[in-house]
Amino acid sequence: MIKVQIAKIRKSGVRTAWEVAEDGSVIRHKHTLCLTFPKKVMEAAEVGTVWNVDGITKSHSFKAGNFEITERYMKVKKSQFLRPSGELLARWIGANIEGVGEVKAKRLIRHFPDLDQRVRQKDVKALSSVAGVSEESARAIIEKWPSESFYAALEWLQNSKLPLSLAQSLARVYDDPVRTISEDPLILTAFGVSFKDTLNIIKRTKLDVRESRVLSAVAEQVAARFCFETGSTVVPEEDIVSGSAAICKTIDLNPEGITDAALKHGALLKVGNGYQSLGAAIQERTVGRLLTKCNERPKGSGSLLAAWEKDLTDDRIEEALNSFEDSLSFRMTAEQRTAVIGAVKSPVSIVSGGAGTGKTTILLAILAVYDQLSSGLAKYQVALSGRAAQRMAESTGRKAQTIARFISDHLGDGKPDAGEHVLLIIDEASMVDLVSAYKIVGILPYAARIILLGDVSQLPPVGGGLIFHAAMDSGLPVFELTEVKRQGKQSGIHQLATAVRKGEMDRTLLNSACGDTRYLPEFSHESLLKEYLKTNNPADCVVLTPIRKGPLGVTEVNKLIQAQYDEFQPQELCYNDPGAEWIPWITSSGTKIRLGDRIMVIRNDYEADIRNGDLGEITDVYTAPQEGVYGVMNIDGKLVEITDETITNIELGYAITIHKSQGSQWPKCILLLPKYASRMTDQSLIYTAITRPSKELVLIGDSALIHSAIKKGNSASKRLTNIGCLLG
């Protein structure tokens, strides 16, 4: 018999597995091991479980594209169940015990079915006999091992067949998850479990739940779905009632008194224009309180480092601004000067302006004035996306980072404070959601100065909330920019963008007199390729589309453009697959990557210093791995090695979604207008796309999409929140 751990379950029911050595390590084989279990034990052979198996093994070969794949198949005759998967426990060990990652933890679990007992016996010798586990690591495991109740909770959560991610979240939040769930199993809905699945868990575990609590959970579920679908943080009562009635009908429950039940059990809170979850209410109140408190802070208070504010006058700000303006080759407009003076004078301010209105110039001026007048002020520049942060850094010549990185650097135990006197500048602030804003204010001190830069006409947050828009309508200082500087007033791009921003549309604007805006009504692959290939440098052009799927979606367009370069750059990016060895890399969208391809980073990787939204090019691909490196990519002028870690973070980047483009700019943009994307396309999406090019905009497809988007308006205006009331 051989010891194995189930790695994957295929649709056919066949299990792929790793062979496990005596020390708990995985024995690497050239060919994948596939197991067919008898029906009576098949259900128990879940991913992660460990078995002793025996049976007849045969080799099976088949073709996958141009490659021949060989696998080992065993029809299991004898099997012995050794232990559950232990995935949750392994994750806990990896997260909580220094020097012992998940790989070593899984090795320990595979080797010792009685791991908990071995640890409680303090058997250092046995634990350190497992490959990779030193005596020091064994002692750390013993010292930091969870209590018996917590260990039991981990096992119970896993054995209850809850998703591992959910089980981990529960174990992280509650000291005794088993008792908590037993007392109130409907809290699972707050962790993303559907109401139906929660009821099934209640039935399976035979837990007793009051009817009013079920009603409360139904209301909470309806509210969560409404907020997820709309981006709102407030739910109107009529939507709760109608949505709850539909759910209650399926479970034979009377929905009468649904909102009273939700209030009674604390699932929802009543606010002026509807109902809120407790979490959303706390987050909005925290953000609103911090912004208001900072704005009303007396000059020089909150920190000794803020003493310079006592001498801050309009005259001193103007003098510093004049000094900065002398270094420019142009004169700032009156509204730009007003915005700079106001933003420096006010502890909290909002600067709003359409694309090309000179927000970068204002930012440079604000920083220059602060440099002259302030002392002891820690300055931070942040933006939502990595590309926007990079553009911010390039524009100002100062460090900028993503909001996620800023939060990661400063929020949590053991993390350094941002400082006791801080200036925080948030670019593309219209896209900052409530959760991010809540985390940010948790970092900021009382003596904080905050500037929100953005454009209410561009895309709202992907997540819930509407901080920037609410701030625009509050009592906080707001400075709006209207004069466009990026393109001249006669620019077709400017005229079209202005019309869309105002909610107007004139077909004549699609083809400008100066030629910087052109419209091709009939979509064809030939017309798209012709326009794209006109650009000498691919880095100067990008295709924008509202969607990922379909003939005008990101995936298909990327394949189409890539195919034009196959003849010249046929070399494919390959990697070292454990099962099939050296094979071409296939991205998550199902495309290969070749030498010379334009690529986009889809996830932040701070170790490699690449960020979500970064664009670049594959500059080298290797014919064999060189010390774990498969090639090289150029990301905005920076050479980055392609490794097992970075290869999963890239996709083709000839075409990107409009959402991904916010915060970036190219000389030429080709905007695709697929009729079938009308449901997800609104005024803000079209406006964002139109304002990305600096020199040339080509529109291809159905212009009716623009009309329907304008008619639909800005989806942000339909979001319901309560933060405006809190900001006054």
Side-chain angles (χ1 to χ4, degrees):
M1 298 184 90
I2 60 171
K3 185 188 288 187
V4 299
Q5 184 173 35
I6 308 301
K8 187 178 181 180
I9 302 176
R10 295 176 176 174
K11 290 182 179 179
S12 62
V14 172
R15 273 66 171 165
T16 64
W18 298 303
E19 188 174 346
V20 180
E22 286 303 313
D23 63 359
S25 62
V26 172
I27 301 172
R28 300 291 179 184
H29 289 281
K30 185 176 181 180
H31 304 304
T32 302
L33 175 62
C34 303
L35 305 175
T36 303
F37 280 85
K39 286 186 178 180
K40 62 180 182 180
V41 296
M42 185 179 293
E43 190 175 335
E46 299 177 336
V47 173
T49 55
V50 182
W51 299 75
N52 280 333
V53 296
D54 193 14
I56 300 171
T57 303
K58 295 181 179 180
S59 294
H60 172 67
S61 299
F62 60 94
K63 281 207 167 189
N66 296 324
F67 296 89
E68 184 168 305
I69 307 295
T70 299
E71 295 181 331
R72 295 184 299 150
Y73 275 79
M74 175 189 286
K75 188 174 182 179
V76 178
K77 297 293 186 182
K78 297 180 181 178
S79 61
Q80 180 187 7
F81 179 71
L82 297 180
R83 68 159 291 116
S85 69
E87 285 285 335
L88 184 57
L89 179 60
R91 291 187 183 184
W92 186 91
I93 295 172
N96 292 275
I97 301 177
E98 191 175 347
V100 185
E102 279 192 46
V103 173
K104 292 179 184 178
K106 289 178 180 178
R107 195 175 294 162
L108 281 162
I109 291 166
R110 285 193 294 263
H111 189 68
F112 293 115
D114 59 344
L115 181 59
D116 183 56
Q117 184 179 346
R118 295 275 185 166
V119 172
R120 299 197 191 284
Q121 291 174 349
K122 300 182 179 182
D123 195 341
V124 174
K125 185 178 179 181
L127 296 176
S128 60
S129 68
V130 173
V133 180
S134 65
E135 289 189 7
E136 184 181 357
S137 295
R139 291 190 181 91
I141 293 170
I142 292 168
E143 181 183 347
K144 297 185 179 181
W145 194 249
S147 66
E148 289 190 37
S149 62
F150 189 63
Y151 180 84
L154 290 173
E155 292 288 295
W156 184 88
L157 289 167
Q158 184 162 294
N159 293 335
S160 298
K161 298 183 179 180
L162 296 176
L164 290 179
S165 58
L166 171 64
Q168 192 173 25
S169 297
L170 288 165
R172 188 166 52 245
V173 173
Y174 301 111
D175 291 333
D176 192 343
V178 176
R179 187 185 65 171
T180 303
I181 296 172
S182 299
E183 292 175 350
D184 188 6
L186 287 159
I187 64 167
L188 292 172
T189 59
F191 289 83
V193 182
S194 72
F195 188 73
K196 182 179 179 181
D197 289 344
T198 301
L199 290 182
N200 287 335
I201 292 170
I202 292 171
K203 185 178 180 180
R204 188 170 66 244
T205 54
K206 299 179 180 179
L207 297 171
D208 186 31
V209 183
R210 287 177 293 171
E211 187 174 286
S212 66
R213 181 64 184 96
V214 177
L215 281 174
S216 165
V218 171
E220 190 173 20
Q221 187 82 355
V222 170
R225 185 189 304 163
F226 178 90
C227 292
F228 175 78
E229 292 175 351
T230 65
S232 301
T233 62
V234 174
V235 190
E237 183 169 3
E238 56 268 28
D239 287 275
I240 292 177
V241 172
S242 61
S244 298
I247 294 177
C248 288
K249 189 176 180 180
T250 65
I251 58 174
D252 195 25
L253 187 67
N254 184 356
E256 188 176 348
I258 189 93
T259 53
D260 290 339
L263 293 173
K264 175 185 175 182
H265 290 279
L268 299 175
L269 298 177
K270 184 74 175 75
V271 295
N273 51 346
Y275 294 84
Q276 273 191 313
S277 70
L278 180 61
I282 291 172
Q283 289 173 354
E284 285 194 338
R285 290 176 187 180
T286 303
V287 173
R289 189 181 296 116
L290 188 281
L291 291 176
T292 302
K293 190 177 178 182
C294 288
N295 187 57
E296 296 174 350
R297 178 176 62 87
K299 287 183 179 181
S301 64
S303 169
L304 293 174
L305 297 175
W308 64 273
E309 294 175 334
K310 296 177 181 178
D311 300 322
L312 191 63
T313 62
D314 288 6
D315 289 343
R316 293 197 68 205
I317 297 173
E318 284 211 49
E319 184 181 347
L321 179 57
N322 291 337
S323 176
F324 165 76
E325 197 172 21
D326 289 340
S327 67
L328 301 176
S329 59
F330 57 89
R331 307 307 294 176
M332 296 175 66
T333 65
E335 67 177 9
Q336 286 179 325
R337 290 182 61 88
T338 299
V340 173
I341 294 170
V344 174
K345 186 178 178 180
S346 309
V348 179
S349 58
I350 297 92
V351 179
S352 174
T357 54
K359 292 192 293 293
T360 298
T361 300
I362 285 178
L363 180 55
L364 284 167
I366 289 171
L367 289 168
V369 171
Y370 270 118
D371 285 344
Q372 293 186 56
L373 301 182
S374 69
S375 61
L377 182 66
K379 305 179 185 72
Y380 296 93
Q381 297 185 120
V382 300
L384 193 66
S385 71
R387 189 162 179 83
Q390 181 180 354
R391 188 172 61 88
M392 198 179 188
E394 291 170 350
S395 300
T396 63
R398 303 167 187 248
K399 180 184 176 183
Q401 58 190 148
T402 64
I403 290 173
R405 184 58 182 265
F406 177 71
I407 294 170
S408 174
D409 284 350
H410 300 289
L411 188 63
D413 295 337
K415 300 290 181 66
D417 294 335
E420 62 181 74
H421 186 37
V422 168
L423 168 66
L424 180 67
I425 301 172
I426 305 177
D427 198 15
E428 304 290 349
S430 67
M431 292 192 72
V432 178
D433 61 18
L434 176 59
V435 173
S436 297
Y438 174 72
K439 291 178 179 178
I440 289 170
V441 301
I443 296 169
L444 297 178
Y446 173 48
R449 303 180 73 85
I450 305 165
I451 299 175
L452 304 178
L453 290 169
D455 181 1
V456 290
S457 296
Q458 293 198 31
L459 294 170
V462 174
L466 212 59
I467 305 299
F468 184 81
H469 300 68
M472 285 281 295
D473 296 328
S474 71
L476 298 173
V478 176
F479 306 97
E480 292 195 66
L481 307 174
T482 59
E483 187 174 340
V484 175
K485 308 294 287 183
R486 183 182 295 171
Q487 299 102 356
K489 291 185 178 181
Q490 300 306 311
S491 160
I493 296 174
H494 165 61
Q495 293 180 41
L496 179 60
T498 301
V500 172
R501 197 172 198 266
K502 292 181 178 179
E504 303 168 354
M505 184 56 197
D506 183 344
R507 284 189 59 85
T508 62
L509 297 176
L510 300 179
N511 291 285
S512 64
C514 62
D516 64 348
T517 301
R518 291 182 290 115
Y519 173 54
L520 305 178
E522 297 296 328
F523 170 77
S524 68
H525 288 165
E526 292 75 17
S527 61
L528 171 59
L529 291 173
K530 183 179 178 182
E531 282 298 332
Y532 188 88
L533 297 173
K534 280 182 181 179
T535 312
N536 292 326
N537 183 3
D540 291 339
C541 180
V542 70
V543 180
L544 302 178
T545 176
I547 51 176
R548 296 196 62 83
K549 297 180 179 180
L552 276 70
V554 167
T555 300
E556 289 303 315
V557 174
N558 270 323
K559 289 179 181 177
L560 177 69
I561 297 176
Q562 182 195 52
Q564 305 309 299
Y565 300 100
D566 284 356
E567 182 181 350
F568 308 101
Q569 302 285 7
Q571 300 99 315
E572 296 175 338
L573 175 65
C574 296
Y575 78 113
N576 201 30
D577 180 84
E581 298 186 345
W582 192 244
I583 62 173
W585 174 255
I586 306 294
T587 70
S588 57
S589 59
T591 58
K592 295 180 180 179
I593 292 180
R594 296 183 172 93
L595 179 65
D597 273 336
R598 295 290 299 166
I599 55 167
M600 182 182 67
V601 178
I602 58 174
R603 280 182 289 274
N604 293 328
D605 184 338
Y606 296 116
E607 189 171 331
D609 196 24
I610 56 177
R611 293 164 178 82
N612 187 4
D614 284 352
L615 292 170
E617 180 184 351
I618 301 295
T619 57
D620 202 358
V621 296
Y622 300 152
T623 57
Q626 299 183 12
E627 298 180 354
V629 180
Y630 308 131
V632 179
M633 51 187 172
N634 185 330
I635 304 295
D636 292 317
K638 177 174 61 201
L639 297 180
V640 179
E641 291 181 336
I642 303 173
T643 64
D644 285 326
E645 289 73 32
T646 58
I647 199 171
T648 60
N649 296 336
I650 57 176
E651 290 273 6
L652 289 178
Y654 298 103
I656 64 176
T657 62
I658 298 170
H659 271 92
K660 285 288 188 182
S661 75
Q662 180 146 335
S664 301
Q665 187 183 358
W666 296 265
K668 179 178 180 178
C669 291
I670 301 171
L671 173 58
L672 302 183
L673 303 170
K675 187 176 183 178
Y676 60 89
S678 59
R679 186 179 62 82
M680 64 193 69
T681 307
D682 70 350
Q683 185 179 355
S684 65
L685 196 73
I686 293 294
Y687 176 76
T688 299
I690 289 171
T691 54
R692 296 310 91 201
S694 59
K695 295 181 180 179
E696 185 178 3
L697 172 67
V698 181
L699 303 101
I700 302 178
D702 190 352
S703 65
L705 185 67
I706 301 178
H707 290 271
S708 67
I710 290 175
K711 187 177 180 180
K712 187 181 293 185
N714 192 328
S715 61
S717 64
K718 300 178 177 66
R719 293 192 178 190
L720 303 175
T721 70
N722 193 49
I723 192 165
C725 301
L726 301 170
L727 290 172

